[in-house]
Amino acid sequence: MAEVTPIAAASVILLRDGPLEVLMIRRHENRSFAPDVWAFPGGAVEDIDDERGEGIVLNTMRFAAARELVEETGISLGTPLDLERLVWTSHWITPEGLPKRFDTYFFLACVGRDTVTALQASEAVDSIWISPADAVQRHLAGSFPLFFPTLKNLEAIVGFRSSTELIESRRKSEIPTTRPVIVVENGEKKIVLP
């Protein structure tokens, strides 16, 4: 099988305070990638994002993340977009050997507790504001299905008390590229960190 080139993509880990919670959407069961799981709003980079990014990869990814957030949830981070509102927190590349791969940048952003979500029905079937710890615990209990990078991003923000504390911890951080791999254990494929 020929190796699949990863598709450039971006996601928003949208936060609100009092207590710290993250917005998760339940992906539609007919999605071609990661169907019927809880995820952060996000998707593939489009030409308009490249144009707005003006050749700066990180800005292209920020525009893509903000556009996808509006398309999937109806939540806008402002017009014109203040790029500094989107703070880069992680970078994941889907393992080799999968039929569809993504090169995804994840960003943190914060909104007020009064923010209203209006889901696009073709993209998501449900949404929830949930603490990162509750999302991880529910996933481990089997009632909250998560894709591997989503789980790991949630685990990385468990323990922070506020969006400000979390965002400031990432603002000047070096962000490594995470490249999970597929291994076979007891005849079953699973994704792990190398």
Side-chain angles (χ1 to χ4, degrees):
M1 181 171 84
E3 195 45 61
V4 176
T5 301
I7 298 165
S11 286
V12 180
I13 302 173
L14 194 66
L15 309 166
R16 70 179 187 184
D17 286 312
L20 180 65
E21 294 174 320
V22 62
L23 178 65
M24 307 287 301
I25 60 173
R26 182 85 182 240
R27 291 173 55 84
H28 203 283
E29 63 186 14
N30 65 6
R31 301 299 297 164
S32 64
F33 186 81
D36 199 31
V37 297
W38 289 92
F40 307 118
V45 171
E46 295 181 359
D47 291 343
I48 187 70
D49 307 316
D50 281 325
E51 291 169 23
R52 290 176 178 155
E54 298 178 343
I56 300 170
V57 172
L58 202 53
N59 288 346
T60 293
M61 295 302 182
R62 285 179 168 125
F63 279 114
R67 178 186 48 73
E68 286 287 338
L69 179 65
V70 171
E71 289 178 6
E72 293 184 350
T73 70
I75 298 172
S76 172
L77 295 177
T79 306
L81 177 63
D82 175 3
L83 294 178
E84 293 304 311
R85 280 194 73 182
L86 288 151
V87 176
W88 190 21
T89 190
S90 68
H91 178 204
W92 285 72
I93 299 178
T94 310
E96 292 181 10
L98 293 177
K100 196 168 191 178
R101 299 179 63 211
F102 290 91
D103 181 344
T104 306
Y105 285 62
F106 291 87
F107 296 93
L108 300 168
C110 185
V111 294
R113 285 196 79 78
D114 58 348
T115 300
V116 176
T117 304
L119 295 178
Q120 181 186 12
S122 65
E123 298 274 354
V125 296
D126 199 3
S127 67
I128 187 173
W129 286 97
I130 187 169
S131 80
D134 286 348
V136 170
Q137 288 170 353
R138 288 175 60 181
H139 171 74
L140 295 175
S143 63
F144 200 74
L146 298 169
F147 197 55
F148 187 72
T150 309
L151 172 63
K152 294 303 177 187
N153 271 288
L154 285 165
E155 289 175 348
I157 63 176
V158 168
F160 285 92
R161 295 180 302 275
S162 72
S163 61
T164 302
E165 178 189 10
L166 172 55
I167 287 170
E168 288 309 312
S169 77
R170 298 297 199 271
R171 198 173 288 282
K172 301 289 185 204
S173 293
E174 184 84 18
I175 307 297
T177 300
T178 304
R179 298 175 186 267
V181 295
I182 297 175
V183 297
V184 178
E185 284 184 4
N186 301 321
E188 285 189 28
K189 287 184 180 179
K190 68 188 257 189
I191 298 173
V192 298
L193 294 175

